[in-house]
Each structure stands twice: as C-alpha cells, then as structure tokens.
Amino acid sequence: MSRPGGAYEDRESALGSHGLEGPASGLHVAIIMDGNGRWAKERGLPRALGHRAGVAALRRTVEGATELGIERLTVFGFSTENWRRPPREVSELMGLLKAYFQSDLDRLAHEGVRVRIVGRRTGLEPDILDIVERAEARTAANHRFHLQVAFNYGGQADIVDAARAFALRVENGMARASDLNEALFEAHLSTSPAPAPDLIIRTSGEQRISNFLLWECAYAELVFQPVYWPDYGPEHLRAAIAEFQSRERRYGAVAGEPAAKDNILAAG
C-alpha cells in the first residue's frame, strides 16, 4: 500500500503550502499506528523490521506535529490485547519502547516535549517501568507539546479500572454512589486530566477503533488513511487535519446554533 495521493494531494494544493485552512494550535490528535506487519510482509521482511520502521515514523510524526502547532499527540503504542502475540514479537515491541526513549529522550526534553504514558503499569517488567517513569520525570516541567503514549492500554480495561477505583472510594466511605457523574468518572481514567482528542486517525486503511480511547472518543472526528504506519509522515498528518477542519462539529446541536454542553441527547 503506497502513500496517499490523488485526493490528498488535491486537498493540499487547494489549501496552500501547509494544506490547512487555519492553525492547528490547541488540537489534540490521537493516532492508531497500524500496518507495521503488513508493510514488512509486502516487502518480504520480518515483522520486527516493520515495527522498527514504525518507530522512525513516530519520530517524523512527532516532529511534524510540533511544527504544525498541535498541542497534544496520543499514540497507541501497545494494547492490552497485544500480549496475545508471539513472545518474540512482544519482546521486540518492549525493546523498541526502550530504544525510542533512550535515543530520543534528551531531544524531547530539550525541545519542551512533555511525555506521559497512559495505561496499566501492573505487570510491566521493571526495566520498562523504570524507563517510563524516567521519561515522565525528565519532561514533567515541559509544556510546549504533550506526547502521550498509550502503552499496555485498552479502552475497556481503562473504563473498568476507573469504575473499580470509584467503587473503592465508595466502599471506603470516601464518596457516595450518588456523587458519580461524567466528569467525576472521567477523572479516574488513566488519560485524565488530558482533554479528549479532537481527531483520531487510523492508518493502514482499516476502519475501526480497536479498543482505543473508547470513553474519550465520544465526539472526536475520525479519519482513516490508506497508508501503512511505517510510511507515515508530516504530509499525511497535514492531510488528516485538513479533512478534520473541513467538517462541522455540532456536538448534538443544530447546525448554525451553539451547542449546549448540558444537552447532548440528540445525535449529531
């Protein structure tokens, strides 16, 4: 599968050199980085080389996101379901996380990037947990750009963990069941206090969410791009944002009227 062309290129030409109708500042973009294995298979390469090429794509995309003025990027690095893969592949994916932060952490810290890992930390090997905690501590004071990596993460698992955390508060007399509302529940998610994503991108042409940010995606725009993740770069990110900016976000309101945040019963 080749890089997007045709409609993507036409869209960029119509919108100018950056392919955007306006600045992307303030946006939270989330990406399901899909297609490493198929990219490698089509080239007769081991899956491990596809994952390594995916790390290079992540590096390009993070750099492109900061140049576009995006405020926050969340990427799906390793899901709770990925433990079902062959042990050798799981080990490779763990090694790539370590390699990425070992090679890029100094640069990320210097460029004002704040790193945060979301997902379950129980069950992670000590060396992985150590590098996760070091990356977060090293960049904790940065605010120019936020990079969130969903690692050992699943949307359903995160919702269950949040429900369990609140239930324990009730059990311990620290809260009442009647206290629970959307905002309080959301505060117990591993992604809290980050805002919900404005745009979720999935690469490789697949058109599903795959257990990613299930609570947070309620009003996100979805863009599916027919490019394998190892081929991804800033030009594809610009194209996705241009598509996002072409849509009207109504949050349940009638077009042309302001959305009332406390009344979202109607679909839209």
Side-chain angles (χ1 to χ4, degrees), residues 145-197:
F145 179 79
H146 297 260
L147 173 62
Q148 292 190 148
V149 181
F151 194 81
N152 196 22
Y153 174 89
Q156 291 176 332
D158 207 35
I159 290 171
V160 168
D161 290 346
R164 183 180 294 116
F166 181 75
L168 286 173
R169 289 179 57 83
V170 173
E171 187 176 291
N172 294 328
M174 301 172 64
R176 298 174 299 174
S178 58
D179 294 336
L180 189 62
N181 57 27
E182 289 89 341
L184 183 55
F185 182 83
E186 190 171 284
H188 288 81
L189 295 170
S190 68
T191 53
S192 177

Side-chain angles (χ1 to χ4, degrees), residues 28-110:
H28 177 184
V29 177
I31 304 180
I32 301 172
M33 306 179 292
D34 191 27
N36 292 346
R38 280 168 286 169
W39 180 90
K41 183 178 180 180
E42 288 187 2
R43 289 160 176 76
L45 300 172
R47 287 176 64 87
L49 292 185
H51 294 311
R52 293 177 191 176
V55 172
L58 175 60
R59 187 174 292 116
R60 292 193 301 270
T61 303
V62 169
E63 292 174 356
T66 59
E67 292 171 1
L68 288 169
I70 291 169
E71 179 177 304
R72 188 179 304 269
L73 182 69
T74 299
V75 296
F76 206 177
F78 188 88
S79 77
T80 50
E81 290 75 29
N82 286 157
W83 293 107
R84 303 170 188 167
R85 294 188 178 187
R88 184 174 180 177
E89 185 172 354
V90 170
S91 178
E92 172 74 17
L93 290 169
M94 295 292 169
L96 288 175
L97 176 76
K98 291 193 292 184
Y100 175 70
F101 283 121
Q102 286 170 350
S103 64
D104 284 45
L105 186 56
D106 286 345
R107 178 181 59 81
L108 293 171
H110 177 72

Side-chain angles (χ1 to χ4, degrees), residues 8 11 21 198-200 219-225 239-250:
Y8 285 92
R11 178 76 179 160
E21 294 174 342
D198 301 288
L199 167 65
I200 296 178
Y219 278 96
E221 294 294 326
L222 308 179
V223 171
F224 302 100
Q225 294 179 292
I241 293 172
E243 171 64 22
F244 166 82
Q245 291 179 335
S246 73
R247 299 180 185 179
E248 181 180 45
R249 306 181 77 198
R250 300 191 302 275

Side-chain angles (χ1 to χ4, degrees), residues 7-21 242:
Y8 285 92
E9 294 172 353
D10 293 342
R11 178 76 179 160
E12 287 203 20
S13 297
L15 294 174
S17 61
H18 292 290
L20 303 178
E21 294 174 342

Side-chain angles (χ1 to χ4, degrees), residues 219 251-253 263-268:
Y219 278 96
Y251 301 98
N263 183 11
I264 56 172
L265 294 179

